[in-house]
Amino acid sequence: MSAGEPNPIDAPGTAEETWRSWDGLGALPVLDVSRWRNVVVLAAHPDDEVLGAGGLMALLADAGVRLRLVAVTDGEASHPGEDVAPRRVAETADALKHLGDCEVVRLGMPDTGVRDTELARLLPGLLDGFDVCLAPWEKDVHSDHEATGRAALTCGVQVLRFPIWTWHWARPADPRLPWDRAVQMPLPAEIAERKRAAIECFTSQLEGPDPILPPGIVAHFTRCREVFFR
C-alpha cells in the first residue's frame, strides 16, 4: 500500500459467502503435518494466532506436538485511552484452553509499532529447536502483521504464513495472492467448534457499538478449513 492510499482494511470487503461459493479454496493441496514435532506460532496481536491458525493449533496439540506462542504485542492500541492490554492477555489465555497445551512467550513490543529488524534479532533464540513457524502473511496490509511475517522469514526454519485481513480486502482468485504457494488444512467439525469457542473469548474485539471484529469479519475464520502460504 502506497503512502496516501486508503487502507483496504477500512473499505467494504468481500463477504464470506463469496469466498465459500468459490471452489478454489477447497481445491488447494492439503498441508501435511505428519512429521511436525514442534511448532512456534507468531502472533502480532492477541487473537491473530486463533483467527489464522487456531484450528491447526488444536489439531497439533491433540497429536502431542509441542506448541509455543510468541505474542509480539499485547494489543494495547485496539482501544486508545483504555488499559486494554491485561484484558487481551487474559483473553488469549482463555482461548488457548480450547485449543490445547501451548507455552506462551510475551515480548511486549508496541502495538502498531512492531519493527521486523528488532523482532528478527529475537527470533533465533525463541525458535531454537523448533521445526516450523506459523506467522502472519507479510502482505496482509497491516503494518504489525507484515513486520512479523517479514521477521519470520529470516528465522531459518520452515515458515507458513496465515492471512488475516486479506480475507476482507482480497477476492477469490485475486492475483495479488500467491495461490500457487497456498495450502489448506481441513478442520473436522469438532476442531472447528473449538476454534469458534476460542474466538469467542476475545470479547474486547467482538463487543461494543463498533467492534474490531464484527460478525462479517469473524465469519472468515469459522470455515471448515484454514489457508496458509508456503
Side-chain angles (χ1 to χ4, degrees):
M1 184 174 64
S2 301
E5 290 185 3
N7 191 329
I9 292 175
D10 298 326
T14 301
E16 177 58 16
E17 291 79 4
T18 302
W19 284 109
R20 296 194 188 200
S21 66
W22 181 50
D23 60 7
L25 295 182
L28 293 174
V30 174
L31 178 63
D32 180 6
V33 301
S34 60
R35 296 185 178 181
W36 292 9
R37 296 294 176 263
N38 38 62
V39 176
V40 169
V41 184
L42 300 184
H45 314 100
D47 74 19
D48 288 343
E49 72 287 345
V50 174
L51 296 174
L56 177 54
M57 291 174 68
L59 287 168
L60 294 173
D62 288 356
V65 175
R66 179 189 177 193
L67 293 175
R68 170 180 287 174
L69 169 63
V70 176
V72 179
T73 81
D74 292 336
E76 68 275 5
S78 70
H79 293 68
E82 299 181 27
D83 185 18
V84 73
R87 180 178 176 185
R88 298 199 68 183
V89 170
E91 290 169 349
T92 297
D94 289 341
L96 292 177
K97 294 175 185 176
H98 293 283
L99 304 183
D101 291 339
C102 180
E103 59 188 270
V104 179
V105 177
R106 312 205 71 86
L107 300 184
M109 289 188 171
D111 189 1
T112 72
V114 177
R115 299 290 178 263
D116 50 318
T117 52
E118 181 182 355
L119 180 56
R121 287 195 292 269
L122 300 175
L123 289 183
L126 295 170
L127 273 66
D128 185 36
F130 285 83
D131 300 325
V132 179
C133 176
L134 307 178
W137 185 39
E138 69 278 8
K139 295 185 179 180
D140 199 48
V141 190
H142 186 297
S143 61
D144 286 348
H145 294 187
E146 295 189 349
T148 301
R150 289 193 301 268
L153 293 173
T154 72
C155 68
V157 303
Q158 180 186 359
V159 180
L160 285 91
R161 287 95 79 206
F162 47 83
I164 297 179
W165 283 108
T166 301
W167 300 118
H168 173 74
W169 57 258
R171 58 186 183 272
D174 197 315
R176 294 170 292 181
L177 276 60
W179 297 115
D180 59 329
R181 294 186 283 111
V183 292
Q184 64 162 314
M185 175 52 65
L187 304 181
E190 184 268 338
I191 294 293
E193 182 54 37
R194 284 164 59 186
K195 178 179 179 178
R196 183 189 295 271
I199 292 173
E200 290 174 353
C201 292
F202 294 99
T203 55
S204 67
Q205 310 302 291
L206 299 169
E207 298 177 350
D210 189 20
I212 306 297
L213 298 175
I217 296 295
V218 173
H220 296 314
F221 306 102
T222 57
R223 302 171 184 156
C224 61
R225 62 178 54 85
E226 292 173 339
V227 175
F228 300 86
F229 299 136
R230 292 181 290 201

